[in-house]
Amino acid sequence: MRFIMMSECATEPGTTHHRRYRDMVDEAVFAEEMGFYGWGTSEHHFFNDMCVTSAPECLFTAVAMRTNRIRLRYMSRLTSVIHPILVAEQTATTDLLSDGRVELTTARGNTLLQLDAFGVSLEETRDRSEEALDLIVRALSDDTFSHDGPHWGMIPERRLSPKSLQEPHPPLYKIVQSVESAADARRKGLGMITSDAYLGWEVLQANLDAYNAVSEDEVSPIGRYAIKSAASSVMSARCAKTNDEALAHAEADLLKFAQMIINDVYVQLAERSPEQYGEFSRIGMLRKHADDADWLRTCGPTVLVGDPQHCVEQVQRTADMGADEIVLRIDGGTHDERMQSIENFGRYVIPYFGNPAGVVRTGPVGLLPGDPRQRPSYEIDTAEELAG
């Protein structure tokens, strides 16, 4: 199981984007030290304080110059709105500056806040993204390329400069939100990153099954080679010495992110495109619990908040379902809280999946110093037990 840290530069009131960007680079450097396989950020526009990563190639350059080993994965480039030649140029340049550590994930995008500003309709994002990815691959891989397509127009023969260090191009991944999209990613030879977003364990299992069920003879890579990798995406991650402490660190960001996704994104999508999003039978339940951190903590794979034992058990469940990567969004809160979680994942969770037999313990996995091993309050059933 490979662990990837993701940050989207969530910035707390009272601080500045300048300070948050500096902290984010320090956190990426520390993630390398603590044994994370990869670090990445997604591309977002116009989110103000929730997702402040509109120029990810700049962040990747900063992180590349201060790290040596950790893989740098673009967790999503919005290829439905950003010109594919620009994406190819930025990917190649950051690959050079990282000595060949860049990986590229593409996403069609379904956030109307962004799509409306760029003048792209929800209905055309799929076709625009597919055409863009084909162009990106050819620009990175071929000596020269040209293009004539319905969405990105006519491009005369040109040579991309510079080319990436990884030949013929960096590994390619795709964000998926349905079983059809998961199977399509595998057939096209792309790694898969699920975007569960509170829809539950059943949705994760269905997407992983769809991806892993595609046979080798069905794979026709859109890139110059195929990779097989299935990642589960966790949107709120914290690891602390107790479940209560982890939830205290995660609560503000967990609630803010959940309410943004549930009350804004899902509802708008269902209203704008009911044929695609109107059948989210879980929306009613999610809206009912959008302000309930205790419920959200255990609502599915999109939240991983707890002590090391809880985190190990949930990651193991994800691995047993067929994932070989887990993406942890460690964001929001304070810099110190984020650094603590990075350290706790690195010291007590990641080693378990590298060599479980080599983890020294006298009790549950990850017995942190000073941990009284009390049961968290929300797991105690009765007042009498609480008093006892």
Side-chain angles (χ1 to χ4, degrees):
M1 179 65 82
R2 295 181 294 274
F3 287 75
I4 301 170
M5 178 186 165
M6 181 175 74
S7 175
E8 294 177 320
C9 197
T11 306
E12 296 297 302
T15 186
T16 65
H17 291 148
H18 175 233
R19 181 68 266 162
R20 182 68 186 92
Y21 264 63
R22 293 287 186 170
D23 288 345
M24 186 160 50
V25 174
D26 289 342
E27 290 157 15
V29 173
F30 190 46
E32 176 176 80
E33 179 182 339
M34 296 313 299
F36 280 76
Y37 168 82
W39 174 90
T41 189
S42 53
E43 177 182 350
H44 286 292
H45 303 269
F46 315 117
F47 273 92
N48 296 326
D49 62 342
M50 193 70 209
C51 304
V52 194
T53 48
S54 56
E57 73 283 357
C58 297
L59 273 170
F60 274 57
T61 300
V63 173
M65 303 308 289
R66 290 190 53 196
T67 55
N68 299 290
R69 175 195 55 79
I70 198 167
R71 301 290 293 182
L72 306 179
R73 183 178 299 178
Y74 287 102
M75 296 307 301
S76 65
R77 292 305 311 264
L78 295 178
T79 48
S80 63
V81 301
I82 306 300
H83 200 289
I85 293 179
L86 184 61
V87 173
E89 290 172 335
Q90 294 167 349
T91 300
T93 303
T94 50
D95 195 52
L96 292 177
L97 291 171
S98 67
D99 293 327
R101 290 183 281 137
V102 161
E103 301 175 351
L104 176 63
T105 306
T106 59
R108 55 186 287 198
N110 63 4
T111 306
L112 301 179
L113 180 71
Q114 301 177 111
L115 294 178
D116 289 350
F118 285 104
V120 174
S121 71
L122 186 64
E123 290 70 28
E124 63 179 329
T125 55
R126 184 190 302 276
D127 291 342
R128 288 175 65 90
S129 294
E130 290 180 353
E131 182 181 330
L133 181 55
D134 174 70
L135 177 51
I136 289 167
V137 168
R138 288 187 290 110
L140 287 168
S141 305
D142 297 343
D143 180 41
T144 62
F145 69 97
S146 60
H147 185 73
D148 187 5
H151 298 290
W152 298 106
M154 182 174 290
I155 302 170
E157 186 175 14
R158 293 290 186 268
R159 176 178 288 109
L160 192 78
S161 181
K163 296 288 190 181
S164 61
L165 183 61
Q166 297 179 86
E167 295 182 329
H169 54 72
L172 302 173
Y173 297 79
K174 177 185 178 183
I175 298 290
V176 305
Q177 294 182 306
S178 66
V179 293
E180 294 82 8
S181 181
D184 181 68
R186 177 63 183 133
R187 282 193 289 266
K188 291 179 177 176
L190 304 172
M192 176 190 81
I193 304 174
T194 65
S195 181
D196 165 82
Y198 308 97
L199 297 181
W201 288 100
E202 297 81 4
V203 170
L204 174 62
Q205 184 69 77
N207 287 333
L208 290 170
D209 287 348
Y211 184 84
N212 290 321
V214 175
S215 62
E216 289 290 342
D217 58 8
E218 296 179 73
V219 176
S220 179
I222 192 171
R224 294 296 187 261
Y225 60 93
I227 67 169
K228 184 179 182 184
S229 177
S232 173
S233 184
V234 174
M235 291 293 99
S236 296
R238 285 290 192 278
C239 185
K241 66 182 180 182
T242 66
N243 290 329
D244 282 335
E245 182 178 324
L247 187 59
H249 288 178
E251 185 170 9
D253 180 71
L254 171 60
L255 291 175
K256 187 174 184 178
F257 193 89
Q259 289 166 12
M260 183 267 291
I261 293 292
I262 296 166
N263 292 330
D264 294 335
V265 175
Y266 280 171
V267 172
Q268 291 181 30
L269 286 172
E271 291 174 351
R272 186 75 67 90
S273 184
E275 70 281 0
Q276 285 184 272
Y277 298 98
E279 297 302 317
F280 279 170
S281 59
R282 191 171 165 88
I283 284 182
M285 181 179 295
L286 289 172
R287 295 193 74 181
K288 179 180 178 181
H289 293 285
D291 60 352
D292 185 346
D294 285 344
W295 186 88
L296 290 168
R297 177 182 171 270
T298 57
C299 73
T302 203
V303 177
L304 178 58
V305 173
D307 66 10
Q309 178 73 18
H310 172 83
C311 292
V312 164
E313 290 172 354
Q314 183 161 322
V315 175
Q316 186 62 61
R317 180 176 180 180
T318 304
D320 292 343
M321 294 170 73
D324 54 21
E325 290 186 342
I326 190 159
V327 176
L328 303 178
R329 177 184 169 273
I330 304 176
D331 213 347
T334 69
H335 176 58
D336 183 61
E337 289 169 352
R338 294 188 297 270
M339 294 290 270
Q340 287 181 43
S341 278
I342 295 168
E343 180 171 7
N344 290 334
F345 276 115
R347 290 191 184 278
Y348 303 105
V349 181
I350 294 175
Y352 179 87
F353 292 90
N355 178 17
V359 178
V360 179
R361 55 189 184 272
T362 57
V365 172
L367 189 63
L368 275 67
D371 185 352
R373 303 312 302 169
Q374 80 274 21
R375 291 178 64 191
S377 58
Y378 48 79
E379 290 184 0
I380 298 177
D381 297 325
T382 65
E384 291 77 14
E385 189 174 353
L386 181 62

